[in-house]
Amino acid sequence: MSAGEAGAGRDPGLQPERTRLAWRRTTLSAAVAAVLAVRAALHGGASAGAVVLGALCCGLFLAFLRVAHLRIHALAAGTPPPALAPRRATAAVLCAVAMAVCAAALVL
Amino acid sequence: MSEFVRNIRLWFAPERLRDEGGTPDYRFSLANERTFLAWLRTALALIGGGFAVDQFLPDLRRAWRVGLALALLAAGVLCALRAVNHWVRCERAMRRGEDLPASRFPVLLSLVVAVVAVAMVLVVLVGWEG
């Protein structure tokens, strides 16, 4: 089965829409984590290191936002929607992992 | 373990994934992508929980607070890494027409969350100062 046969004549239904909303929800989760990171950084004296870590978490959220934005644009590009590139999935995961590392540094 | 290393290479190389088998119905790929995102949200929620334990339980003894927060953060990291690994494995299985991979991870995660929850209950019952 070629890509053309797989994509042609099939009703995409609401699948791209649902996937778009899943990216939105996930971005929102990342925003909540980033807000908690900023709160942790500013709480209790706000040392220079903590502020840098909080800013780093904000940067990671922006990176995640960019990945989600690019993917949402790709989904809207046409039918059939292109598959998610592994590199993009890995980038999104690495943002989450880096945020957890910042969190561990803030907690300790 | 070498299987895992090979999967890690697939995380970064879309061409290699595309070399295998045929392209599945894109609706299945999108469903796989949504499952991946749901796991990633779970990971982000665990990370947020780690932050929350650290910030909203200030009266807790430091060792408990840091321990619980680090346990949640570690679970979040594992969950995120496993999310992309499982996504790659499912995508490859669909391309090859194989069965989807079975996984013990949901059980493991449930156990970790249960242990953390029991620890919280103990902390509350024994008293904040421990």
Side-chain angles (χ1 to χ4, degrees), chain B residues 4-26:
Chain B
F4 184 69
V5 172
R6 235 176 303 143
N7 285 343
I8 289 181
R9 248 180 262 140
L10 278 180
W11 295 4
F12 296 96
E15 317 79 44
R16 290 175 52 128
L17 191 59
R18 227 175 282 144
D19 283 345
E20 303 200 36
T23 305
D25 186 331
Y26 65 83

Side-chain angles (χ1 to χ4, degrees), chain B residues 25-90:
Chain B
D25 186 331
Y26 65 83
R27 290 173 297 185
F28 298 156
S29 292
L30 290 180
N32 190 22
E33 181 177 341
R34 288 197 295 275
T35 308
F36 159 69
L37 288 172
W39 278 111
L40 191 53
R41 275 199 297 284
T42 308
L44 286 166
L46 287 167
I47 293 168
F51 274 123
V53 163
D54 181 47
Q55 287 175 61
F56 298 120
L57 303 176
D59 297 335
L60 203 56
R61 211 196 267 170
R62 184 179 150 81
W64 271 97
R65 194 160 46 96
V66 170
L68 282 174
L70 287 184
L72 285 169
L73 290 173
V77 168
L78 274 182
C79 193
L81 292 177
R82 185 266 180 189
V84 68
N85 193 46
H86 193 73
W87 174 78
V88 162
R89 285 174 65 198
C90 284

Side-chain angles (χ1 to χ4, degrees), chain B residues 46 68 70-76 78 105-119:
Chain B
L46 287 167
L68 282 174
L70 287 184
L72 285 169
L73 290 173
L78 274 182
F105 185 81
V107 176
L108 189 70
L109 183 64
S110 321
L111 289 178
V112 169
V113 171
V115 166
V116 169
V118 168

